[in-house]
Amino acid sequence: MLTDSLHTLIPKLPAGLLYGGDYNPEQWPEAVWLEDARLMQAAGVNFISLGIFSWAKLEPEPGRYDFAWLDRVIDLLWSHQISLCLATATASPPAWFARLHPEGLAVGRAGDRFTHGSRQHYCPNSVAYRQASVRLITQLAQRYGRHPAVALWHINNELGCHINACYCDVCAAEFRHWLRRRYGSLEALNAAWGTAFWSQIYGDWSEIQLPNRTPTLGNPTQCLDHQRFVSDGLRAILLAETAAIRAVVPEAKITTNGVFTMKPADYRDWFQHCDVAALDCYPDPTLGLVEVRASALCNDHYRCFKDGLPFILMEQVTSQVNWRATNVLKQPGQMRALSYAALAHGADGIMFFQWRASRAGAEKFHGALLPHAGPDTRVHREVVQLGRELRSLTAIAGARTPARVALLQSWENHWALELPSKPATFDYGRTLAEFHTPLWNRNIALDVVSPDAPLTRYDVVIAPVLYVISPKQADSLRAFVAGGGTLLLTYFSGIVDEHEHIQLGGYPALLKDVLGLVVEEWQPLPPGASNGLRLLTSAPEAPAVPCHFFSEVVHPRGAEVLATFTKDFLAGQPALTRHRFGSGEAYYLATQPDAACLENWLADLLASRGITAPIQAAYGVEVCLRQGTEQEFLFVINHQSDPAPVNYGAWTGSADLLSPGTPVAATEELPGLAVRLLCRPRNK
Ligand code: GAL
Ligand code: ZN
C-alpha cells in the first residue's frame, strides 16, 4: 500500500527517523559499554545493528552458547532507549567451523580453498554452514525474538560481497540441481544454451560443470545461468536465515544490507523477501559530484525496491574508510550533507559502520561515530549535531518521493550485456550513469524500476541499452507508449531473448512497430573515436555534436528523423528518431551523444511535458521533494564547497526545519555543503 510507513510495517521501530550504526561490543571490555550507551543516547542514537560478527563469542564451541554478555548489552542499550536491528551473527563463522568442516570453506576458481582468518569465507551452498547458522539463529530468536528492543533482524552481512561464486564440488552439484529445476530436461537445456555450437551438446547431467577455465570464450548462456544461480544461491541464505527466525517468531521483521547495486546480487528480487530495503553506501570523496550522483542513483534503486517505501541507509562512514589505496576524509560537513541526500531520496534511517572505532583488527583505521580520540573530536561533534537534528525531523518519516520519470534497469540485462564477445565492451553501470546524470544535474526526480514494473504510472520511460527484452516487457513498453507515454530507447536494445539468443529480423525485434524503424547493423566507436550528430533543428552552421561508443545503421519505417550522423559511411543517416505510436511517442537514440547535448535535449523533452526541477539552483545543488500526507518537504543540498545561488521560487517564505523561525528568502547564496529542509502544507 502506498501509504504504508516503515513504522506501520515494523511496529517495534523507534519513532521518527532511525539513527545509529553497527555496534561490536565484543571488541571492548565490558567497562566501555556503559560509556558507549551513554554517548549513544547523548548523540541521539536510537537504533543499533548488534552482533554482526559475534558468532565466535556467542558459540565458543559447537553447541555451547554464551548469551549472558549479549543479554547485558541488550538490556543496557534498551535502558538507554536504543532499539535493535539484531544480527543473525552468521557473517563470519568461528575457527571451529573451519576445523570441523573444511569442506564448508569456499573454493576459488583455481580450486584453492579459502582459510579462516578474515570473514565471509564459507561456501554459500555448504550444508554444514547452513545447519550451524540455523542452530545459532534458532537460539537467538528464542532468547531475543520477543525482547521489546528487537525491532528488526539483520540477516547475515553483505551477502556475497567478498565471495559470491564458489567453485567447490558441492556448488557444482547444486548448479546442476538448479539447472534441472529450471529446464526440466537436457533437451531444453541444450536448446537454451545453444550447445549445437562448438560441439557442446550434453548427454548426461553429470557432464555439466560450473563455468570456469576454458581455452577461449565459454558458453554465454551457461555463464548467464551461473550468474542467476549465484544470486539465487545467496538469496537462499537470506531465506533460510529468515525462516529460522520466523519458525520461532512468526511476526519477526527482517532486512539484509545490500552493497551499492552489486552486480552478483539481484537485490530487486532479494528485497521482495525483506520487510525493508537496506543499503551500504561508501562514495569516494576524491571523486566529488560523480560519487554524489552515484549515491543518488543507488538511493533511487533502493527506494524503488519496495515500491517507494522508505529504505534504511544501513552503512556509510563518518570520515574515511580503510580499504581504498588512499583513504581521503569526507570534508567537515560532508557527512551531514550526504546523510541528508539519502533522506532526500527516500531513506528513513541514517546508519553507519561503526559506532566505536576499533583498536585492533583489519578495520582499525576505518572511521566511526566515536573516533579513537574520543567524543571531543570534530567527527563526533558532527555526529551529535546530526543526531540532534534528525530527532527533530519526525514528520519526514514515511514521506514519499513523487517521480514522473522511470529509468529502466535490470540485473538480467546487466549480466547478459556484460558477457564477453559483444560488438563493444559494455559497462552497464556507466551507461546508466550517463542517462541518470542529466536528470540529477537538473534536479528531476526519477524512479529506477525493472522493465517488468508497471510503467503506466510514469510519463517518461528511459531505457538505456536494454539488450534483453522479453515478449512481456515488449508488450508493456508498447502499451505504455500507446497509452500516451514517452519512451526513450537507446542503441543495442531489444537484441536478445532471455536465453541470450538473437531476435532475428532486425533490431529491436519486438519493438520495431513502436519505434517505427529497424536497425540493420552497428558501428562501435573505439575509445577516442567519435562520430558527429546534427540535430535537424539546429542552424546549418552550428557545429555537430560529438557522439561516442556506438553508432548504428537505422532505417526509418515511419519514424521521423530528428538528428543525423555527420561522418563516415553513416553521414546523413538517422542518429535520433521519433515515432508517434498510439497516443504516445517513442524516441530512439542510436549513439551516445556528448553529455552536455544529451542533458539539454533531455531537459527540453521533459520540460515539454511539464517535468522540471521543483526550484532553480546552481549545478551541484541537489533538490529533492518528499511528500507526506499533510506536508511536503524540499531538500536543498549544496554538495560543493563554494556557495551557490538558489532561487526558492514558489517555496519562498517556507519554513526551514533546520533553522526554525527563519523562513527562506526568495534567493540566496547557499553556503558550501549547507542543507535546507523546507516544509509546507501539501496542496498549497
Ligand atoms: C562493509 C561491511 C562492514 C565494514 C564496512 C567497512 O562492507 O558490511 O562490516 O566492513 O564495509 O567499510
Ligand atoms: Zn561451494
Side-chain angles (χ1 to χ4, degrees):
M1 214 194 346
L2 274 176
T3 51
D4 278 338
S5 74
L6 288 186
H7 296 84
T8 51
L9 296 172
I10 309 172
K12 286 160 77 184
L13 283 182
L17 301 171
L18 309 172
Y19 188 53
D22 286 19
Y23 183 37
N24 299 303
E26 68 274 13
Q27 296 178 13
W28 298 96
E30 195 156 342
V32 175
W33 301 348
L34 180 61
E35 189 197 13
D36 282 330
R38 284 191 182 135
L39 287 172
M40 285 176 190
Q41 197 174 27
V45 166
N46 61 3
F47 201 50
I48 281 294
S49 297
L50 183 65
I52 294 175
F53 297 102
S54 299
W55 193 345
K57 283 273 188 190
L58 292 173
E59 193 180 359
E61 292 168 30
R64 181 169 74 76
Y65 298 97
D66 176 5
F67 292 117
W69 68 273
L70 191 60
D71 292 352
R72 294 197 293 281
V73 176
I74 291 181
D75 290 340
L76 178 68
L77 294 175
W78 185 232
S79 70
H80 288 76
Q81 282 84 53
I82 293 163
S83 297
L84 299 177
C85 185
L86 185 63
T88 54
T90 49
S92 199
W96 56 253
F97 177 82
R99 174 167 50 86
L100 297 178
H101 304 286
E103 81 294 346
L105 301 175
V107 170
R109 273 179 178 273
D112 47 324
R113 245 184 226 284
F114 288 87
T115 55
H116 183 81
S118 177
R119 65 174 178 186
Q120 212 185 80
H121 41 292
Y122 55 84
C123 156
N125 290 300
S126 156
V127 176
Y129 172 71
R130 193 70 57 86
Q131 286 173 345
S133 306
V134 166
R135 257 192 343 254
L136 171 67
I137 294 168
T138 306
Q139 296 280 330
L140 283 166
Q142 283 168 349
R143 199 165 183 102
Y144 304 113
R146 296 206 160 77
H147 194 292
V150 178
L152 188 64
W153 287 83
H154 189 293
I155 302 288
N156 214 294
N157 188 64
E158 292 189 340
L159 282 163
C161 164
H162 304 304
I163 294 180
N164 45 75
C166 166
Y167 292 84
C168 78
D169 293 343
V170 172
C171 287
E174 201 47 52
F175 184 45
R176 290 188 278 271
H177 287 141
W178 184 94
L179 291 167
R180 269 179 191 259
R181 285 196 298 274
R182 183 174 176 87
Y183 293 110
S185 71
L186 272 182
E187 293 68 42
L189 177 137
N190 278 312
W193 286 16
T195 52
F197 180 81
W198 281 355
S199 198
Q200 290 170 356
I201 298 165
Y202 292 98
D204 191 290
W205 288 99
S206 65
E207 293 161 1
I208 300 173
Q209 302 297 324
L210 294 164
N212 195 345
R213 200 154 175 247
T214 48
T216 179
L217 300 164
N219 181 303
T221 316
Q222 179 185 10
C223 297
L224 179 58
D225 271 342
H226 183 242
Q227 282 173 298
R228 293 168 172 147
F229 162 75
V230 163
S231 180
D232 284 3
L234 295 166
R235 189 192 61 185
I237 298 177
L238 167 67
L239 298 184
E241 296 200 5
T242 305
I245 299 169
R246 293 208 174 129
V248 180
V249 186
E251 71 280 13
K253 306 298 178 189
I254 64 118
T255 192
T256 191
N257 50 342
V259 192
F260 303 94
T261 52
M262 187 175 83
K263 182 176 172 184
D266 182 346
Y267 288 134
R268 185 172 292 116
D269 162 37
W270 290 23
F271 281 113
Q272 301 324 305
H273 303 276
C274 296
D275 295 288
V276 52
L279 155 72
D280 296 352
C281 192
Y282 290 94
D284 183 348
T286 56
L287 298 179
L289 287 185
V290 171
E291 289 274 284
V292 173
R293 266 195 298 262
S295 305
L297 181 54
C298 237
N299 289 328
D300 290 340
H301 275 86
Y302 278 72
R303 183 187 68 247
C304 297
F305 287 156
K306 303 289 287 177
D307 199 16
L309 183 75
F311 62 95
I312 299 174
L313 174 57
M314 189 61 96
E315 288 183 27
Q316 59 170 341
V317 70
T318 52
S319 55
Q320 66 208 139
V321 299
N322 63 307
W323 41 264
R324 293 195 172 99
T326 305
N327 295 297
V328 169
L329 282 173
K330 286 181 178 166
Q331 296 296 301
Q334 198 171 21
M335 175 272 277
R336 177 173 178 268
L338 287 168
S339 299
Y340 278 105
L343 287 181
H345 283 267
D348 269 4
I350 299 296
M351 314 272 290
F352 296 82
F353 177 85
Q354 61 176 331
W355 164 252
R356 185 184 276 273
S358 300
R359 196 169 173 206
E363 295 187 318
K364 55 184 171 294
F365 292 115
H366 194 286
L369 293 152
L370 186 60
H372 293 145
D376 188 16
T377 46
R378 172 193 67 86
V379 164
H380 194 68
R381 281 190 289 277
E382 290 191 26
V383 164
V384 172
Q385 183 202 341
L386 181 59
R388 192 173 301 135
E389 289 174 0
L390 296 185
R391 291 308 277 263
S392 72
L393 299 177
T394 48
I396 290 166
R400 299 297 177 118
T401 301
R404 294 173 58 191
V405 181
L407 181 69
L408 299 192
Q409 178 273 356
S410 83
W411 267 265
E412 285 272 324
N413 195 57
H414 196 165
W415 297 331
L417 182 69
E418 292 183 0
L419 289 168
S421 74
K422 293 287 188 305
T425 305
F426 287 87
D427 178 339
Y428 191 42
R430 189 190 66 203
T431 308
L432 286 175
E434 280 167 342
F435 283 87
H436 168 254
T437 294
L439 279 87
W440 188 89
N441 288 353
R442 300 293 180 116
N443 284 316
I444 291 166
L446 66 84
D447 280 352
V448 183
V449 298
S450 147
D452 291 309
L455 299 177
T456 47
R457 64 170 81 162
Y458 299 105
D459 294 310
V460 177
V461 167
I462 302 175
V465 284
L466 198 56
Y467 170 63
V468 186
I469 298 184
S470 70
K472 207 168 129 249
Q473 292 166 350
D475 288 346
S476 162
L477 288 164
R478 180 176 293 104
F480 166 73
V481 179
T486 299
L487 170 67
L488 170 60
L489 191 72
T490 79
Y491 56 92
F492 212 56
S493 287
I495 312 291
V496 294
D497 66 12
E498 79 272 21
H499 301 310
E500 224 229 350
H501 295 196
I502 303 290
Q503 306 268 22
L504 301 176
Y507 324 105
L510 304 177
L511 290 173
K512 286 181 292 197
D513 57 330
V514 178
L515 293 153
L517 54 77
V518 59
V519 176
E520 182 186 337
E521 57 180 339
W522 38 68
Q523 174 66 309
L525 299 164
S530 64
N531 203 316
L533 174 151
R534 183 181 301 285
L535 282 167
L536 299 186
T537 49
S538 63
E541 66 281 6
V545 171
C547 53
H548 312 277
F549 185 61
F550 218 69
S551 57
E552 294 180 326
V553 176
V554 176
H555 301 292
R557 298 268 190 276
E560 174 192 354
V561 178
L562 301 182
T564 51
F565 288 108
T566 60
K567 287 207 263 178
D568 306 331
F569 77 99
L570 284 172
Q573 298 196 42
L576 173 67
T577 62
R578 171 174 59 194
H579 186 232
R580 293 186 208 283
F581 182 82
S583 330
E585 288 183 338
Y587 290 81
Y588 188 76
L589 183 56
T591 186
Q592 185 69 46
D594 164 72
C597 161
L598 180 63
E599 181 173 330
N600 289 330
W601 179 77
L602 262 176
D604 287 349
L605 177 77
L606 295 170
S608 71
R609 279 136 181 90
I611 304 172
T612 54
I615 59 171
Q616 291 312 307
Y619 174 67
V621 176
E622 187 168 30
V623 180
C624 302
L625 183 67
R626 281 183 75 172
Q627 295 180 319
T629 40
E630 305 296 327
Q631 294 168 307
E632 52 186 12
F633 307 94
L634 193 72
F635 291 76
V636 186
I637 305 162
N638 183 1
H639 287 290
Q640 313 263 44
S641 34
D642 293 327
V646 180
N647 182 333
Y648 290 99
W651 286 79
T652 302
S654 315
D656 178 1
L657 298 179
L658 299 174
S659 313
T662 354
V664 280
T667 61
E668 75 168 326
E669 288 287 314
L670 187 63
L673 296 175
V675 181
R676 294 227 179 262
L677 209 181
L678 308 184
C679 171
R680 69 182 186 190
R682 219 175 139 176
N683 301 324
K684 196 176 126 184

